[in-house]
Amino acid sequence: MPDVVLEVEDLTKHFTVRGRGVVRAVDGVSFELREGEVLGLVGESGSGKSTVGRCVTRLIEPTGGTVRLKGTDITHLPQRRLRPLRREMHIVFQDPSSSLNPRMDVGSIVGEPLRRHGLARGAALRDRVAGLLHEVGLLHEVGLRPELIGRYPHELSGGQRQRAGLARALSVEPSLLIADEPTSALDVSVQASILNLLVEVQRRRRFACLFITHDLAVVEYVANRVAVMYLGTLAETAPHEELFRSPKHPYTQALLSAAPVPDPAEQRGRQRVVLTGDLPSPLDPPPGCRFHTRCPLADERSRSEVPALRDVTGRGHLVACHQVGDDGTAPSIVERAASA
Ligand SMILES: Nc1ncnc2c1ncn2[C@@H]1O[C@H](COP(=O)(O)OP(=O)(O)O)[C@@H](O)[C@H]1O
Ligand code: SF4
Ligand SMILES: [Mg+2]
């Protein structure tokens, strides 16, 4: 088995908001990520995905739990001691502008981490930067090397900015890349090319990737394993094929039933389950199973007892639902909806 790169254990992040109370953005999330693996973290907006990514990279401080990077507990490492480990993990955001200094040109932006970590300078640095820009398709796209390297972020298109951000992230050869909705702000046509690039680069370099998105189609395209998040907790996590072929958690089933499929005939024949109600507020999450206010199968136990995330196949298919059996048998909410 490939080495574990990231271990997240019982991670919580609570924000205290003055006058409003405590936002339980993340509440007891555990997962691990191995070399070469892409874990797609999917869930509705507000379910806590970005907070997980920001806690893992220590951009914000976790309230509880443990984060280990290649075996080192980094949860409480002071920023000074975290600095050398910064090479090992990089995060790219929906809006790459936040990591692209507007006063630096592309060449300086991409080369900056290499300089900061003392990995290259002078001609070697220029070569490395050119190589990285070529890898992310920027040299080819624009043609003239010196012209592009000298451009500033505001002179680039959204897709070019995301490519530059990726080149910068890759410059120090991280073991872990966290991509937080990296294509959500782009035009649909550009989205596909950036996703292709990410997949291609990840397959070549084999880093571990935590890919955060609200879009199931994107997860289906990029991930080898999927974790479904609901209101600060994980509902289900499984290898890619298994999750899409046999979703067990009622929430996952509902998400998949609502996702469009390419074949119109299949689309017409499909039974969709529309979830009623909005995502409850993480200021006051429902007791018991957090999904019970919207779950068509909720019962008394769901309302009082928190379901544990447990492996129901012995092959890494984990589900947090009382009604999924220890042998993996799961009630179908689609059938339930059809008979109702
Ligand atoms: N700094 C913050 N202060 C207060 N609440 C926050 C803060 N950051 C995020 N939240 C809240 O935490 C919840 C999860 O947010 P987020 O992790 O951004 O979700 P997602 O990325 O899944 O859309 C949301 O209710 C959001 O409003
Ligand atoms: S525990 Fe109950 S409410 Fe939660 S997903 Fe399972 S059936 Fe639905
Ligand atoms: Mg987010």
Side-chain angles (χ1 to χ4, degrees), residues 45-46 48-51 94 180-181 212:
S45 168
K49 307 177 300 292
S50 294
T51 304
Q94 174 173 347
D180 190 351
E181 309 261 13
I212 296 172

Side-chain angles (χ1 to χ4, degrees), residues 90-113 133 138 151-170:
H90 257 272
I91 185 161
V92 293
F93 297 101
Q94 174 173 347
D95 175 13
S97 307
S98 56
S99 55
L100 304 182
N101 186 332
R103 284 178 298 278
M104 276 163 88
D105 64 26
V106 171
S108 313
I109 285 170
V110 173
E112 192 269 332
L133 291 178
L138 278 179
R151 287 208 191 163
Y152 289 84
H154 73 269
E155 298 173 302
L156 303 177
S157 69
Q160 286 173 332
R161 273 202 290 271
Q162 204 51 284
R163 285 171 194 266
L166 182 64
R168 178 180 155 87
L170 295 176

Side-chain angles (χ1 to χ4, degrees), residues 249-251 289-293 295-299 301-303 305 307 320-324:
H249 195 283
Y251 179 58
C289 174
R290 288 202 174 171
F291 185 52
H292 86 245
T293 55
C295 181
L297 306 178
D299 58 10
R301 190 177 174 199
S302 309
R303 287 184 268 274
E305 194 184 320
C321 170
H322 297 308
Q323 293 191 35
V324 176

Side-chain angles (χ1 to χ4, degrees), residues 227-245:
V228 179
M229 202 161 174
Y230 185 81
L231 201 56
T233 60
L234 288 186
E236 178 161 13
T237 140
H240 176 284
E241 288 76 14
E242 202 161 312
L243 189 109
F244 285 94
R245 185 170 34 85

Side-chain angles (χ1 to χ4, degrees), residues 44-60:
E44 286 166 271
S45 168
S47 56
K49 307 177 300 292
S50 294
T51 304
V52 169
R54 290 161 73 212
C55 283
V56 164
T57 46
R58 290 280 311 276
L59 290 174
I60 54 175

